[in-house]
Amino acid sequence: MVDQASGLRQANAQSHYPPAFAFFGGEGSGVSSVVGELAAALAMSGQRPLLVEHQPGNHQARRLGLPTSASFASLSISLGGVSDLLVSNRYGLNLINLVASSEERTRMSPRLWRRLVSEFAALEADNSVLLIDAPQLVDDPTPLCIADNLVLVLSPDAESLTQGYATLKRLAGDYARRRFNVLVNRARDFDEAQAVFTRLSAVAGDYLSVALRWVGFVPLDNTLRKSQTLRRPTVEAFADCEAAQACRQLAQMLPRWHAPDSNAQRSSYLEQLLTTTKSLADLTGH
């Protein structure tokens, strides 16, 4: 599976699609909060981020104060288009709801898929970066298999480290992923964040053939919870708080994190999502 999964990411190369960053981590690590704040910070700085939601429940829309939308899975019934999945705010933050299980994606007709891939490719090419709120690997491995860049979000909790390491191990062993950016969330200070990264590096260095890169941390800040209650991103509602300042700095640096496992140029994200979903289903037999 390793060689074949790696090859899938190199097929059907195109040159005009923006880099894709998939964020993942253990439950309770604050992955969705981090990726939403980074997307908002990028949009407020004049960039054109496309935030890709793979988590059910329209949580990103609610967190960011955006209208809810149809999910990708619903298009097989409604026969709608990509525009039905897309919502935006006044400063250019675009959120698209691609929530669907692997089975729901593969059941869509080839004709519908061709139309949706074409519509999404035009949208994707008009944005500067994709930020993907990825599902848990056990639920749907495809987004983490195909994204150009992977960002592991850890918190200082021991369970976060355990779950993060377990996911790294599977991504390396089953899907040939080798490079990981590591961002520590909810750390009391720089020293605690560095200690979390050091612990992960020590364990991974002993047992996994992966490259881990520290990219920064978001400090523990109760203002984040307050902003979620208000349904506004912290970088907008409480721009001077420590977490907002950290998210703006991380967003500014995010383009420099781009270092994909493969140098091959890729096809549209949605096209890869379909072809890889089907190929992995063939490989695993379900």
Side-chain angles (χ1 to χ4, degrees), residues 9 15 25 37 43 45-47 49 81 88-89 126 148 160 172 180 193 203 250 258:
R9 292 193 296 275
S15 61
E37 291 291 338
S45 70
Q47 303 297 312
S88 304
N89 69 5
D126 195 42
D148 300 315
S160 174
F180 299 89
V203 177
L250 289 167
H258 183 50

Side-chain angles (χ1 to χ4, degrees), residues 1 5-6 8-9 21-25 54-55 98 100-106 132-150 166-177 180 261 269 272-286:
M1 177 181 292
S6 177
L8 290 171
R9 292 193 296 275
F21 295 82
F23 291 72
F24 70 100
H54 279 289
Q55 303 285 355
L98 293 189
S101 68
S102 297
E103 293 75 16
E104 288 169 328
R105 290 196 294 264
T106 55
I132 301 162
D133 190 357
Q136 292 294 317
L137 186 66
V138 67
D139 297 326
D140 183 2
T142 310
L144 290 176
C145 179
I146 66 176
D148 300 315
N149 306 277
L150 300 180
T167 306
L168 285 183
K169 184 177 180 180
R170 280 206 60 199
L171 285 168
D174 293 345
Y175 303 105
R177 300 312 305 253
F180 299 89
D261 285 328
Y269 176 76
Q272 285 188 296
L273 195 66
L274 171 63
T275 58
T276 306
T277 296
K278 290 184 175 179
S279 296
L280 289 178
D282 291 342
L283 289 171
T284 59
H286 56 78

Side-chain angles (χ1 to χ4, degrees), residues 168-246:
L168 285 183
K169 184 177 180 180
R170 280 206 60 199
L171 285 168
D174 293 345
Y175 303 105
R177 300 312 305 253
R178 292 289 177 260
R179 299 180 182 179
F180 299 89
N181 300 293
V182 181
L183 188 158
V184 179
N185 189 32
R186 300 173 181 160
R188 286 190 298 266
D189 52 33
F190 176 83
D191 290 340
E192 183 177 51
Q194 277 280 297
V196 172
F197 177 73
T198 299
R199 288 200 297 273
L200 177 67
S201 298
V203 177
D206 288 341
Y207 299 104
L208 303 179
S209 298
V210 297
L212 304 180
R213 178 172 57 180
W214 157 269
V215 294
F217 80 105
V218 178
L220 181 65
D221 190 337
N222 289 330
T223 309
L224 277 168
R225 187 173 299 175
K226 185 177 180 180
S227 70
Q228 290 171 13
T229 301
L230 298 174
R231 296 189 60 181
R232 293 176 63 191
T234 308
V235 293
E236 176 194 356
F238 302 101
D240 294 331
C241 75
E242 290 187 5
Q245 294 179 47

Side-chain angles (χ1 to χ4, degrees), residues 94-126:
N94 297 315
L95 169 64
I96 191 162
N97 187 331
L98 293 189
V99 174
S101 68
S102 297
E103 293 75 16
E104 288 169 328
R105 290 196 294 264
T106 55
R107 284 201 300 265
M108 289 184 175
S109 70
R111 181 177 180 181
L112 176 60
W113 257 107
R114 286 193 296 270
R115 176 169 63 82
L116 296 176
V117 164
S118 177
E119 292 176 5
F120 187 89
L123 169 68
E124 184 179 9
D126 195 42

